[in-house]
Amino acid sequence: LTRSLVFVVKHLHWAPHSLIEAQRQIRIDRSIELLRRLESAHANEWQSIMTLDESWFYLWTSHETVCIQAGQQPPEMVKHMMGDRKMTMSIVWNSQGFHLVDAFPKGQKFNANYYIDRILQPLLESRSTGGGPGLIIHADNARPHIARKTFKFCRENRLEMALHQPYSPDLAPSDFFLFEHVKNVLEGAEFPSDETFLVAIQRALSDLTGDTLRVVFAKWLNGRIGSL
Protein backbone atom coordinates (compact mmCIF):
# COMPACT_ATOMS: atom_id res chain seq x y z
CA LEU A 1 0.00 0.00 0.00
CA THR A 2 2.83 2.41 0.82
CA ARG A 3 4.50 1.90 -2.55
CA SER A 4 1.13 2.30 -4.31
CA LEU A 5 0.50 5.59 -2.57
CA VAL A 6 3.99 6.91 -3.37
CA PHE A 7 3.71 5.82 -7.01
CA VAL A 8 0.27 7.35 -7.44
CA VAL A 9 1.07 10.63 -5.66
CA LYS A 10 4.28 11.20 -7.61
CA HIS A 11 2.64 10.31 -10.90
CA LEU A 12 -0.36 12.52 -10.18
CA HIS A 13 1.80 15.52 -9.33
CA TRP A 14 2.39 16.31 -13.00
CA ALA A 15 -0.70 17.82 -14.64
CA PRO A 16 -1.05 20.64 -17.20
CA HIS A 17 -4.27 22.05 -15.74
CA SER A 18 -6.88 21.54 -13.04
CA LEU A 19 -8.75 18.29 -13.42
CA ILE A 20 -12.32 17.41 -12.56
CA GLU A 21 -12.93 14.58 -10.10
CA ALA A 22 -13.61 12.00 -12.83
CA GLN A 23 -10.33 12.86 -14.57
CA ARG A 24 -8.41 12.57 -11.32
CA GLN A 25 -9.96 9.18 -10.64
CA ILE A 26 -8.91 7.90 -14.06
CA ARG A 27 -5.34 8.98 -13.34
CA ILE A 28 -5.42 7.18 -9.98
CA ASP A 29 -6.85 4.00 -11.47
CA ARG A 30 -4.34 3.88 -14.31
CA SER A 31 -1.44 4.70 -12.01
CA ILE A 32 -2.37 1.76 -9.77
CA GLU A 33 -2.79 -0.54 -12.79
CA LEU A 34 0.57 0.51 -14.25
CA LEU A 35 2.23 0.00 -10.88
CA ARG A 36 0.74 -3.50 -10.71
CA ARG A 37 2.18 -4.36 -14.12
CA LEU A 38 5.61 -2.95 -13.27
CA GLU A 39 5.73 -4.84 -9.99
CA SER A 40 4.67 -8.06 -11.69
CA ALA A 41 7.30 -7.69 -14.41
CA HIS A 42 10.02 -6.83 -11.88
CA ALA A 43 10.66 -10.52 -11.28
CA ASN A 44 12.09 -10.95 -14.79
CA GLU A 45 13.69 -7.47 -14.85
CA TRP A 46 10.84 -6.01 -16.91
CA GLN A 47 11.65 -8.07 -20.00
CA SER A 48 7.94 -8.43 -20.80
CA ILE A 49 7.29 -4.66 -21.00
CA MET A 50 8.08 -2.65 -24.14
CA THR A 51 7.85 1.11 -23.77
CA LEU A 52 7.86 3.43 -26.76
CA ASP A 53 7.33 6.98 -27.92
CA GLU A 54 8.06 9.38 -30.76
CA SER A 55 10.11 12.59 -30.76
CA TRP A 56 11.50 15.22 -33.12
CA PHE A 57 15.27 15.32 -33.57
CA TYR A 58 16.97 18.19 -35.38
CA LEU A 59 19.86 17.33 -37.69
CA TRP A 60 21.88 20.16 -36.20
CA THR A 61 21.96 21.66 -32.73
CA SER A 62 23.99 24.36 -31.05
CA HIS A 63 25.54 23.96 -27.61
CA GLU A 64 23.26 25.29 -24.89
CA THR A 65 26.24 26.11 -22.66
CA VAL A 66 29.78 27.17 -23.57
CA CYS A 67 32.91 28.06 -21.62
CA ILE A 68 34.26 31.58 -22.24
CA GLN A 69 37.08 33.65 -20.79
CA ALA A 70 36.42 36.56 -18.44
CA GLY A 71 35.39 39.58 -20.47
CA GLN A 72 34.77 37.52 -23.60
CA GLN A 73 31.47 37.99 -25.41
CA PRO A 74 29.27 34.87 -25.48
CA PRO A 75 28.65 33.41 -28.94
CA GLU A 76 25.39 34.01 -30.72
CA MET A 77 22.80 31.33 -29.93
CA VAL A 78 20.82 30.33 -33.02
CA LYS A 79 17.28 29.10 -32.48
CA HIS A 80 15.64 26.47 -34.60
CA MET A 81 13.17 27.63 -37.23
CA MET A 82 10.10 25.84 -38.56
CA GLY A 83 11.81 24.72 -41.76
CA ASP A 84 15.01 23.38 -40.16
CA ARG A 85 15.94 19.83 -41.07
CA LYS A 86 14.53 17.39 -38.56
CA MET A 87 13.36 13.81 -38.28
CA THR A 88 10.76 12.04 -36.19
CA MET A 89 12.02 8.90 -34.50
CA SER A 90 10.06 6.08 -32.86
CA ILE A 91 12.10 4.05 -30.38
CA VAL A 92 10.86 0.83 -28.77
CA TRP A 93 12.87 -0.46 -25.83
CA ASN A 94 12.83 -2.23 -22.52
CA SER A 95 15.26 -3.03 -19.73
CA GLN A 96 17.18 -5.37 -22.04
CA GLY A 97 17.87 -2.98 -24.91
CA PHE A 98 16.48 -1.27 -27.99
CA HIS A 99 14.28 -3.43 -30.16
CA LEU A 100 13.07 -1.06 -32.87
CA VAL A 101 14.25 2.33 -34.10
CA ASP A 102 12.01 3.77 -36.81
CA ALA A 103 12.68 6.93 -38.81
CA PHE A 104 9.43 8.55 -39.88
CA PRO A 105 9.37 9.07 -43.70
CA LYS A 106 8.89 12.64 -44.88
CA GLY A 107 5.32 13.33 -45.95
CA GLN A 108 3.93 10.26 -44.17
CA LYS A 109 1.10 10.70 -41.69
CA PHE A 110 1.59 9.20 -38.28
CA ASN A 111 -1.71 7.47 -37.72
CA ALA A 112 -3.00 4.13 -36.44
CA ASN A 113 -2.19 2.37 -39.72
CA TYR A 114 1.42 3.53 -39.60
CA TYR A 115 1.73 2.66 -35.92
CA ILE A 116 0.42 -0.85 -36.51
CA ASP A 117 2.38 -1.54 -39.71
CA ARG A 118 5.73 0.00 -38.74
CA ILE A 119 5.82 -0.51 -34.96
CA LEU A 120 3.48 -3.19 -33.62
CA GLN A 121 3.65 -5.69 -36.48
CA PRO A 122 7.48 -5.77 -36.55
CA LEU A 123 7.47 -6.34 -32.79
CA LEU A 124 5.22 -9.35 -33.25
CA GLU A 125 7.44 -10.73 -35.98
CA SER A 126 10.66 -10.29 -34.04
CA ARG A 127 11.53 -13.40 -32.09
CA SER A 128 14.22 -11.56 -30.13
CA THR A 129 11.63 -9.43 -28.36
CA GLY A 130 9.46 -12.36 -27.40
CA GLY A 131 6.72 -10.57 -29.30
CA GLY A 132 3.62 -12.62 -28.60
CA PRO A 133 1.49 -13.69 -25.68
CA GLY A 134 2.57 -11.95 -22.51
CA LEU A 135 4.18 -8.97 -24.26
CA ILE A 136 3.01 -5.69 -22.74
CA ILE A 137 3.11 -2.51 -24.84
CA HIS A 138 3.39 0.77 -22.97
CA ALA A 139 2.88 4.07 -24.79
CA ASP A 140 1.41 7.46 -24.00
CA ASN A 141 -2.04 8.64 -25.09
CA ALA A 142 -1.18 9.91 -28.57
CA ARG A 143 -4.13 9.17 -30.85
CA PRO A 144 -2.45 6.42 -32.93
CA HIS A 145 -1.50 4.62 -29.70
CA ILE A 146 -5.08 4.44 -28.42
CA ALA A 147 -7.11 4.34 -31.65
CA ARG A 148 -9.85 1.74 -31.98
CA LYS A 149 -7.91 0.07 -34.78
CA THR A 150 -4.89 -0.18 -32.49
CA PHE A 151 -6.90 -1.76 -29.68
CA LYS A 152 -8.45 -4.20 -32.18
CA PHE A 153 -5.02 -5.21 -33.52
CA CYS A 154 -3.69 -5.79 -30.00
CA ARG A 155 -6.68 -7.90 -29.01
CA GLU A 156 -6.42 -10.04 -32.12
CA ASN A 157 -2.71 -10.63 -31.61
CA ARG A 158 -2.84 -11.04 -27.83
CA LEU A 159 -0.75 -7.97 -27.15
CA GLU A 160 -1.43 -6.39 -23.78
CA MET A 161 -1.64 -2.62 -23.56
CA ALA A 162 -0.51 -0.82 -20.43
CA LEU A 163 -2.68 2.28 -20.50
CA HIS A 164 -0.82 5.47 -19.66
CA GLN A 165 -2.12 8.05 -17.20
CA PRO A 166 -3.97 10.82 -19.07
CA TYR A 167 -2.56 14.37 -18.91
CA SER A 168 0.86 12.93 -18.01
CA PRO A 169 2.97 12.80 -21.20
CA ASP A 170 6.31 13.15 -19.39
CA LEU A 171 5.86 10.14 -17.11
CA ALA A 172 6.98 7.65 -19.74
CA PRO A 173 10.65 6.53 -19.64
CA SER A 174 11.30 7.80 -23.16
CA ASP A 175 10.27 11.29 -22.09
CA PHE A 176 11.80 11.52 -18.63
CA PHE A 177 15.06 9.82 -19.63
CA LEU A 178 15.77 8.48 -23.12
CA PHE A 179 15.07 11.38 -25.48
CA GLU A 180 16.84 13.87 -23.24
CA HIS A 181 19.87 11.59 -23.04
CA VAL A 182 20.13 11.14 -26.81
CA LYS A 183 19.64 14.83 -27.54
CA ASN A 184 22.33 15.72 -25.01
CA VAL A 185 24.73 13.31 -26.74
CA LEU A 186 23.98 14.92 -30.12
CA GLU A 187 24.20 18.49 -28.81
CA GLY A 188 26.45 20.70 -30.93
CA ALA A 189 26.58 18.26 -33.86
CA GLU A 190 25.51 18.82 -37.46
CA PHE A 191 24.71 15.92 -39.75
CA PRO A 192 25.02 16.32 -43.53
CA SER A 193 22.56 13.53 -44.31
CA ASP A 194 19.80 11.43 -42.80
CA GLU A 195 22.10 8.41 -42.98
CA THR A 196 24.85 9.97 -40.86
CA PHE A 197 22.23 11.16 -38.38
CA LEU A 198 20.74 7.68 -38.01
CA VAL A 199 24.22 6.23 -37.41
CA ALA A 200 24.72 8.78 -34.62
CA ILE A 201 21.35 7.84 -33.08
CA GLN A 202 22.27 4.16 -33.08
CA ARG A 203 25.66 4.96 -31.55
CA ALA A 204 24.05 7.01 -28.78
CA LEU A 205 21.67 4.15 -28.00
CA SER A 206 24.40 1.51 -28.07
CA ASP A 207 26.24 3.39 -25.31
CA LEU A 208 23.36 2.68 -22.91
CA THR A 209 24.02 -0.59 -21.13
CA GLY A 210 21.46 -3.02 -19.79
CA ASP A 211 22.43 -2.00 -16.27
CA THR A 212 21.54 1.62 -17.04
CA LEU A 213 18.21 0.68 -18.60
CA ARG A 214 17.28 -1.47 -15.61
CA VAL A 215 18.01 1.49 -13.33
CA VAL A 216 15.62 3.59 -15.45
CA PHE A 217 12.87 1.00 -15.06
CA ALA A 218 13.52 0.77 -11.33
CA LYS A 219 13.18 4.56 -11.05
CA TRP A 220 9.95 4.37 -13.05
CA LEU A 221 8.60 1.73 -10.67
CA ASN A 222 9.56 3.75 -7.60
CA GLY A 223 8.27 7.07 -8.95
CA ARG A 224 11.75 8.60 -8.96
CA ILE A 225 11.47 10.01 -12.46
CA GLY A 226 14.24 12.17 -13.80
CA SER A 227 17.59 11.94 -15.54
CA LEU A 228 20.24 9.58 -14.22
Side-chain angles (χ1 to χ4, degrees):
L1 178 60
T2 301
R3 171 176 277 187
S4 298
L5 288 174
V6 171
F7 186 90
V8 171
V9 168
K10 290 191 175 183
H11 282 64
L12 294 186
H13 178 69
W14 299 55
H17 53 78
S18 297
L19 306 177
I20 63 174
E21 182 59 33
Q23 292 170 329
R24 287 196 292 269
Q25 188 60 50
I26 290 174
R27 296 186 82 204
I28 292 172
D29 293 342
R30 289 195 181 174
S31 292
I32 292 173
E33 175 62 17
L34 180 57
L35 173 61
R36 183 190 66 79
R37 289 178 179 272
L38 289 172
E39 287 182 326
S40 177
H42 188 194
N44 69 349
E45 296 186 324
W46 303 285
Q47 294 183 48
S48 59
I49 295 182
M50 293 286 171
T51 186
L52 63 94
D53 204 354
E54 301 78 34
S55 183
W56 285 107
F57 290 84
Y58 285 95
L59 271 65
W60 71 267
T61 57
S62 58
H63 287 286
E64 294 185 1
T65 58
V66 294
C67 296
I68 60 175
Q69 299 294 327
Q72 182 181 356
Q73 290 295 320
E76 187 177 75
M77 305 298 288
V78 181
K79 292 184 177 181
H80 284 292
M81 305 298 288
M82 182 68 69
D84 286 346
R85 294 166 57 233
K86 55 185 178 291
M87 185 178 294
T88 301
M89 304 294 299
S90 294
I91 302 177
V92 183
W93 58 292
N94 67 357
S95 61
Q96 308 302 302
F98 299 92
H99 300 273
L100 190 149
V101 179
D102 178 69
F104 198 69
K106 293 179 175 63
Q108 175 73 49
K109 289 184 178 180
F110 182 63
N111 53 27
N113 288 332
Y114 183 94
Y115 180 55
I116 291 169
D117 294 341
R118 291 287 294 263
I119 307 298
L120 297 182
Q121 187 63 47
L123 281 178
L124 279 173
E125 295 170 356
S126 174
R127 294 179 180 178
S128 63
T129 65
L135 181 62
I136 300 171
I137 305 295
H138 170 267
D140 65 15
N141 299 309
R143 288 185 179 181
H145 299 160
I146 58 174
R148 290 182 180 178
K149 182 175 288 189
T150 300
F151 277 99
K152 182 174 184 291
F153 177 87
C154 289
R155 285 196 305 271
E156 291 174 349
N157 292 278
R158 293 187 291 172
L159 284 174
E160 295 185 52
M161 293 182 66
L163 296 179
H164 192 71
Q165 303 95 319
Y167 319 105
S168 310
D170 294 330
L171 296 180
S174 293
D175 286 320
F176 73 73
F177 167 73
L178 182 65
F179 293 147
E180 180 184 1
H181 168 82
V182 174
K183 290 176 181 179
N184 285 340
V185 171
L186 302 181
E187 183 180 329
E190 182 172 356
F191 302 98
S193 66
D194 292 354
E195 291 72 22
T196 57
F197 170 74
L198 292 174
V199 169
I201 288 282
Q202 293 285 3
R203 187 180 299 119
L205 295 177
S206 67
D207 289 340
L208 292 169
T209 66
D211 288 341
T212 297
L213 300 182
R214 285 187 285 274
V215 169
V216 173
F217 270 69
K219 293 181 68 162
W220 189 23
L221 170 61
N222 292 300
R224 294 166 48 236
I225 60 175
S227 301
L228 296 183

